[in-house]
Amino acid sequence: MRRALLFVILAALGCDREMASMMEGGPMDGGRPDVPVGMPDGMIPDIGPLDAEPPDVEPPDADPNALRVNHMQVRGTNNSYHTNTNPFDLEFRDYYHLPLVEQAGEQGIRFFDFDLDPDRESALVLEPRVSDALDIETICGTWYWCLRDFVPWLDENPQHALIVFFVAESWRFNSPPFLFQQLDDLERYAADAFGRERILSPADVRGEHRTLREAIQQRGWPAASETQGKVMLVLNDRAEARTRYLERGGDDPEDRLLFLIGDPDHAEDPDTGDEVVFSFEPEFDGDPWYFETEPGELERMRELAAAGYLVHGVSDDPDMIARLRAAGAHFIATRYPDDVFGEIPPIGPVACNPVTRPDDCDPAEFEAARR
């Protein structure tokens, strides 16, 4: 009790997070079963600050006929880390996901959704928003190891279409010093796990333009062929974390790695020039089995997709999945990919977006060999 009280006082005073972590009881292992030889359980290498130089990136293809990132539509999983541990026998928690490499390889998943709980020593232990106690175990452990365990699949499939990660945190420490460190950790661990050159950053898309919005409106998203083999990270937060990230921009404000999620109701506001990804996550509305996107939201989704933005939707109902597809959602997530999506089509796991596709769109080109 005294230790917990002292931790609260330290956090309130803005004391160093390392000390707060020690007072809280030390690192957690996040449930990862395998630990590299010579490494304490739950620990990660000391990777230091995110100080690697960003890779040289060619300007996005100016060819008006190029097949682009926003022309595709991909399958995703909701709570992509969830395993079927259900200590309270809750029916709506009775689902599980395959390891990320199997989601990508066997189910054609190109969109992953993560909720994180900050813990500096164990690389951001995963924790869903549904309840703090329901996902003590996950399919891959910590944020760092989930990404590291996915790297072999990326290496073996260098022609894969752009893979998108939505990332939210519980933001347990909301005072600015702690929040800045959490955002820095999120970026540092992702850059170390994937390699900086593999991450599509906002600067890569923005180029010489003033804002991301200006870039996609005047030049468009990068060509799909130029983003093969890359991943994209999106900060799924519209509150304090978003504000702080805009204020300081992670570890290196000049080389942010996280795209920002936008509010669909305020997409036209002039001060939101760096928000080019929008999410439509329907409320449970008393029934945790049923994700419903209202007709008005579907129309709004279609408008945003047509304007060049990337759009995310979620459902477990096949009929609603069909409506999300018709509305132009780029990333469609579900808890039951085998039941909802079925087998991967022969042409591959990526489809042409019905709202944004050019007339001659060939879905096989999204993961075709580089020329």
Side-chain angles (χ1 to χ4, degrees):
M1 180 67 181
R2 290 179 180 176
R3 186 172 65 178
L5 180 59
L6 181 55
F7 172 77
V8 172
I9 295 173
L10 287 170
L13 292 175
C15 293
D16 185 80
R17 188 174 165 198
E18 300 287 345
M19 181 178 294
S21 178
M22 288 188 293
M23 296 305 300
E24 199 178 20
M28 298 179 286
D29 67 7
R32 186 176 190 273
D34 298 317
V35 178
V37 175
M39 238 178 233
D41 187 26
M43 299 293 284
I44 66 166
D46 182 8
I47 62 177
L50 177 61
D51 57 1
E53 291 294 324
D56 293 330
V57 178
E58 293 294 328
D61 191 343
D63 180 2
N65 298 317
L67 197 61
R68 299 184 180 278
V69 167
N70 65 311
H71 295 154
M72 68 182 184
Q73 188 172 71
V74 302
R75 298 166 169 159
T77 47
N78 191 48
N79 294 343
S80 303
Y81 50 85
H82 180 72
T83 186
N84 198 16
T85 53
N86 193 2
F88 301 102
D89 196 28
L90 299 174
E91 186 179 6
F92 76 96
R93 302 292 295 173
D94 191 20
Y95 71 99
Y96 69 95
H97 289 303
L98 299 173
L100 298 191
V101 295
E102 295 179 30
Q103 290 186 46
E106 297 178 14
Q107 298 172 321
I109 300 303
R110 299 294 182 267
F111 170 91
F112 297 98
D113 167 53
F114 282 85
D115 297 317
L116 308 178
D117 178 43
D119 182 87
R120 189 177 183 84
E121 296 301 330
S122 61
L124 301 175
V125 175
L126 300 178
E127 179 179 281
R129 290 180 180 147
V130 176
S131 172
D132 290 345
L134 294 186
D135 264 329
I136 299 173
E137 297 182 13
T138 69
I139 61 172
C140 49
T142 66
W143 168 241
Y144 182 77
W145 286 117
C146 285
L147 302 186
R148 279 291 299 271
D149 290 346
F150 191 43
V151 168
W153 186 90
L154 299 176
D155 291 340
E156 294 170 4
N157 298 273
Q159 299 163 6
H160 67 76
L162 179 68
I163 294 177
V164 177
F165 288 81
F166 265 31
V167 187
E169 286 200 37
S170 62
W171 311 118
R172 193 191 325 162
F173 310 110
N174 284 322
S175 62
F178 293 132
L179 194 51
F180 283 139
Q181 288 184 345
Q182 292 172 55
L183 291 165
D184 290 350
D185 284 352
L186 194 157
E187 287 192 331
R188 289 191 313 118
Y189 296 147
D192 185 73
F194 285 143
R196 173 60 186 84
E197 71 284 352
R198 191 175 251 150
I199 300 175
L200 179 73
S201 74
D204 299 335
V205 177
R206 186 183 301 110
E208 299 300 320
H209 291 269
R210 183 176 56 88
T211 66
L212 282 170
R213 181 167 300 180
E214 181 180 289
I216 66 170
Q217 290 175 346
Q218 296 184 16
R219 185 187 56 211
W221 285 90
S225 61
E226 295 301 320
T227 58
Q228 287 177 349
K230 289 186 177 292
V231 301
M232 176 179 172
L233 306 170
V234 179
L235 180 64
N236 189 12
D237 186 283
R238 300 179 192 168
E240 185 72 8
R242 171 193 174 279
T243 300
R244 297 302 178 186
Y245 195 69
L246 280 171
E247 178 181 327
R248 207 183 81 173
D251 189 74
D252 181 358
E254 300 303 318
D255 186 33
R256 295 177 177 173
L257 302 187
L258 305 178
F259 288 79
L260 298 172
I261 205 78
D263 184 344
D265 293 333
H266 299 281
E268 288 78 21
D269 290 358
D271 61 344
T272 57
D274 274 340
E275 295 177 352
V276 292
V277 184
F278 294 88
S279 178
F280 291 77
E281 298 188 50
E283 298 294 332
F284 279 135
D285 195 24
D287 182 357
W289 278 110
Y290 189 59
F291 291 105
E292 174 70 15
T293 302
E294 299 296 332
E297 291 182 317
L298 291 171
E299 181 56 34
R300 183 58 171 159
M301 183 180 291
R302 186 177 292 104
E303 292 173 355
L304 292 172
Y309 304 117
L310 299 182
V311 180
H312 163 249
V314 58
S315 181
D316 295 326
D317 176 61
D319 291 337
M320 179 54 67
I321 292 286
R323 287 193 282 273
L324 291 173
R325 291 196 64 186
H330 299 87
F331 322 120
I332 302 176
T334 182
R335 292 177 288 188
Y336 306 95
D338 286 334
D339 296 336
V340 171
F341 296 133
E343 296 183 0
I344 300 175
I347 57 174
V350 186
C352 292
N353 190 302
V355 172
T356 64
R357 59 176 291 167
D359 292 338
D360 59 350
C361 180
D362 179 359
E365 293 186 23
F366 287 113
E367 295 201 355
R370 290 180 181 272
R371 294 178 174 83

